[in-house]
């Protein structure tokens, strides 16, 4: 028999799934004259938006690599103002940001840039510290095998571009000598002297040999020279003995300077013995120039009239091929962004990826890179200590 007690149905709470907020990537245009490269192509942006990122790009920012805003819109990006791009969770800008730009960044966000030690200002570094920006120098990031993927690919581009540009400058009948780098039957080819034996040096030597030039390579590291001679058969290698270097510089048509440890300088007396109209290129990233007595000229600017015998040092080699740099950087950035997603956030990525920790230079309002701390006039701290406290 049923009881007279009546039952009133009660609503039951249902589980509600909340959609997580998408991490935003901001791509402002580069406002610095010495940097023309752009980090991401539309194809890379499409991969990132499919993976769950929201990408914001400043209007006209990719014009330097000949991509329109429409190409990025089609890839899923949002075209916005500079302020909106800078207010993203992750900002990518290869050149140092000004202190006014850093003030527009979201507190605690991540900045991915090149270290640019010589172009960092104390005011900008202090703004990074005040806003607790996690600033990462991509050229210092290492992978699980100890390689530096960003630095290595940019170095390879610089090496190959240096030879292509040198060949063009030599062949220019108005501003150059009007000669071929490789020569022809019956004519001695040009001589290319490469200082250093790293990735950039080997890329330059390989390209020069392929064009038919004679290549000499110098370094103080005999083991690296041995490895370079194996990877680039046909080059002539030598240690940096002053007399041998002087003889090579005296007959060189092209001189390409790359990173050497310890740092190497070619002073004015050595420059004076070089040929009139020699093409000199310095590929050293963010370091003291190897030719301190020579005026520096951005290779992407108007060519210098070398036919008059004037000697200059060309820099910013990668700026001459910004689209190639963008394609190469995109491949490397995609791997880094996958790591950030898998670690579920920026802070966790720094904690869980040792290869990223060594590239951080400001974290939680502290300078964790000695060179950057010296610029700001503050004491450097160990990033691992800050990670344990965060």
């Amino acid at each position: 028999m049923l009881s007279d007690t009546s039952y009133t149905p009660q609503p039951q709470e249902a589980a509600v799934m909340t959609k997580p907020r998408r991490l935003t990537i901001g791509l402002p245009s580069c406002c610095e004259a010495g940097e023309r490269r752009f980090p991401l192509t539309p194809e890379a942006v499409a991969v990132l938006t499919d993976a769950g990122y929201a990408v914001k790009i400043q209007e006209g920012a990719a014009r330097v690599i000949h991509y329109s805003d429409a190409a990025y819109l089609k890839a899923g990006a949002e075209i916005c103002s500079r302020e909106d791009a800078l207010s993203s969770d992750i900002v990518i800008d290869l050149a140092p940001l000004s202190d006014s730009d850093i003030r527009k960044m979201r507190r605690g966000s991540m900045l991915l840039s090149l270290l640019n030690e010589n172009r960092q200002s104390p005011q900008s570094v202090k703004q990074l510290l005040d806003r607790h920006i996690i600033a990462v120098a991509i050229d210092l990031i290492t992978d699980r095998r100890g390689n530096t993927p960003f630095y290595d690919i940019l170095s390879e581009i610089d090496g190959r571009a240096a030879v292509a540009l040198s060949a063009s400058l030599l062949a220019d009948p108005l501003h150059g000598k009007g000669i071929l780098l490789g020569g022809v039957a019956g004519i001695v080819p040009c001589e290319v002297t490469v200082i250093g034996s790293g990735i950039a040096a080997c890329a330059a030597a390989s390209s020069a040999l392929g064009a038919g030039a004679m290549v000499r390579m110098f370094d103080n590291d005999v083991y690296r020279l041995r490895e370079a001679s194996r990877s680039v058969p046909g080059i002539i290698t030598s240690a940096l003995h002053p007399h041998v270097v002087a003889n090579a510089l005296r007959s060189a048509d092209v001189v390409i300077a790359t990173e050497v440890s310890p740092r190497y300088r070619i002073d004015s007396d050595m420059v004076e013995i070089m040929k009139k109209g020699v093409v000199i290129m310095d590929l050293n990233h963010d370091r003291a120039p190897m030719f301190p007595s020579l005026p520096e000229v951005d290779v992407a600017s108007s060519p210098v009239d070398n036919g008059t015998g004037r000697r200059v040092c060309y820099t910013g080699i990668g700026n001459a091929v910004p689209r190639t740099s963008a394609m190469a950087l995109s491949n490397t950035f995609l791997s880094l962004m996958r790591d950030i997603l898998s670690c579920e956030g920026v802070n966790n990525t720094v904690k869980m990826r040792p290869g990223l920790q060594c590239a951080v230079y400001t974290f939680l309002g502290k300078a964790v890179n000695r060179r950057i701390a010296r610029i700001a006039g503050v004491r450097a701290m160990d990033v691992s200590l800050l990670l344990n406290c965060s």
Side-chain angles (χ1 to χ4, degrees), residues 56-79:
K56 296 181 178 182
I57 178 172
Q58 182 181 346
E59 183 179 1
R63 201 172 294 138
V64 290
I65 57 172
H66 304 288
Y67 278 117
S68 66
D69 291 342
Y72 286 89
L73 276 172
K74 188 176 180 181
E78 173 189 344
I79 307 301

Side-chain angles (χ1 to χ4, degrees), residues 216-236:
R216 291 187 175 94
M217 180 179 289
F218 294 87
D219 202 333
N220 280 323
D221 191 328
V222 177
Y223 288 95
R224 288 219 309 182
L225 283 175
R226 185 178 293 119
E227 184 62 31
S229 63
R230 290 196 193 106
S231 61
V232 191
I235 61 174
I236 302 168

Side-chain angles (χ1 to χ4, degrees), residues 151-161 199-200 203-204 285:
Y151 180 83
D152 291 350
I153 191 62
L154 291 176
S155 296
E156 184 175 359
I157 291 171
D158 283 353
R160 295 195 177 278
I199 290 178
H285 292 280

Side-chain angles (χ1 to χ4, degrees), residues 151 257-260 264 281-290:
Y151 180 83
T258 68
E259 184 181 356
V260 177
Y264 189 75
M281 296 203 170
D282 194 342
L283 275 58
N284 285 282
H285 292 280
D286 199 24
R287 285 169 175 82
M290 191 173 289

Side-chain angles (χ1 to χ4, degrees), residues 136-193:
V136 179
I138 60 172
D139 44 331
L140 301 183
I141 294 175
T142 59
D143 61 17
R144 290 173 177 82
R145 292 174 292 181
N147 300 315
T148 50
F150 286 94
Y151 180 83
D152 291 350
I153 191 62
L154 291 176
S155 296
E156 184 175 359
I157 291 171
D158 283 353
R160 295 195 177 278
V163 173
L165 294 167
S166 297
S168 177
L169 289 168
L170 285 174
D172 190 332
L174 297 177
H175 302 101
K177 288 184 171 182
I179 60 175
L180 288 173
L181 181 67
V184 293
I187 299 176
V188 176
C190 288
E191 294 186 22
V192 177
T193 295

